[in-house]
């Protein structure tokens, strides 16, 4: 299941769960729920918002992921999971099968508001928006996209890429 996170650089961001339909967890330690961007994030300071399924809003201790807020219709959902040999670490474990996604129209306004808040609260007006999905590309990537409007244009026209960190500077 995908991890979806927003990092407000050099901020002491505070958001209230009751203001959002998506589940959120806010942490002052920049540590992703998965490890793809760990080495990058530990060099930063700020606040991270973990974004998850609405049914996690009242579950502080269980798993946390955002699969239910994704519109899975962008790519074929006929994933071909290969047969793998668990004793062979060189075997392809099914990665690189899903590359693009969009948010469900129901939850896109919450994501937009969270990113806008993260930008406005960042002392240097810098935000990272990132995903980590086990069935996405094996290698992470980083792209400066500059504005939130550019991010949403890409989202709406071609979809965003899994396992990518987008760097955003203004709304």
């Amino acid at each position: 299941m995908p991890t979806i996170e927003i990092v407000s650089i050099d901020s002491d961001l505070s958001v209230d769960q009751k203001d959002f339909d998506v589940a959120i967890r806010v942490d002052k330690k920049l540590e992703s729920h998965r490890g793809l961007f760990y080495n990058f994030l530990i060099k930063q300071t700020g606040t991270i918002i973990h974004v998850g399924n609405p049914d996690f809003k009242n579950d502080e201790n269980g798993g946390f992921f955002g699969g239910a807020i994704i519109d899975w219709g962008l790519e074929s959902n006929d994933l071909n999971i290969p047969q793998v040999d668990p004793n062979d670490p060189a075997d392809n474990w099914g990665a690189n099968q899903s590359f693009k996604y969009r948010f469900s129209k129901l939850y896109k306004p919450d994501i937009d508001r969270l990113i806008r808040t993260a930008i406005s609260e960042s002392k240097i007006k810098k935000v990272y928006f990132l995903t980590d999905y086990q069935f996405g590309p094996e290698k992470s990537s980083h792209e400066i996209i500059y504005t939130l409007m550019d991010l949403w244009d890409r989202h709406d026209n071609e979809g965003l890429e899994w396992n990518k960190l987008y760097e955003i500077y203004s709304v």
Side-chain angles (χ1 to χ4, degrees), residues 67-133:
I69 64 175
I70 300 297
D71 172 359
W72 292 100
L74 186 59
E75 293 186 313
S76 168
N77 49 354
D78 296 331
L79 294 180
N80 180 21
I81 307 296
Q83 297 295 318
V84 295
D85 180 355
N87 299 314
D88 181 0
D91 228 348
N92 182 349
W93 284 83
N96 294 325
Q97 295 193 2
S98 185
F99 293 96
K100 301 243 180 167
Y101 69 96
R102 286 189 188 109
F103 288 103
S104 163
K105 290 179 182 177
L106 184 62
Y107 302 111
K108 182 182 170 191
D110 272 0
I111 305 300
D112 181 71
R113 201 159 33 107
L114 285 166
I115 296 173
R116 285 176 186 276
T117 302
I119 291 169
S120 70
E121 292 297 315
S122 168
K123 292 175 186 163
I124 61 171
K125 305 302 180 211
K126 182 177 179 180
V127 167
Y128 298 129
F129 175 78
L130 58 116
T131 56
D132 187 338
Y133 180 49

Side-chain angles (χ1 to χ4, degrees), residues 11-67:
S11 78
D12 191 24
L13 179 66
S14 179
V15 289
D16 192 339
Q17 175 61 76
K18 69 177 172 50
D19 296 333
F20 297 93
D21 291 327
V22 295
I24 55 174
R25 292 186 182 164
V26 179
D27 201 342
K28 304 302 179 195
K29 182 177 181 187
L30 298 187
E31 191 171 308
S32 177
H33 281 169
R34 292 180 46 92
L36 196 58
F37 295 100
Y38 176 81
N39 290 333
F40 179 80
L41 291 177
I42 62 171
K43 299 173 188 167
Q44 312 295 319
T45 60
T47 306
I48 188 168
I49 304 168
H50 308 278
V51 183
N53 299 342
D55 55 337
F56 295 135
K57 285 169 59 169
N58 299 314
D59 183 2
E60 293 291 322
N61 300 316
F64 196 86
F65 48 86

Side-chain angles (χ1 to χ4, degrees), residues 112 115-116 119 146-153 168 170-171:
D112 181 71
I115 296 173
R116 285 176 186 276
I119 291 169
Y146 293 109
T147 72
L148 182 57
M149 189 165 90
D150 292 338
L151 181 83
W152 289 129
D153 282 347
I168 308 165
S170 70
V171 290

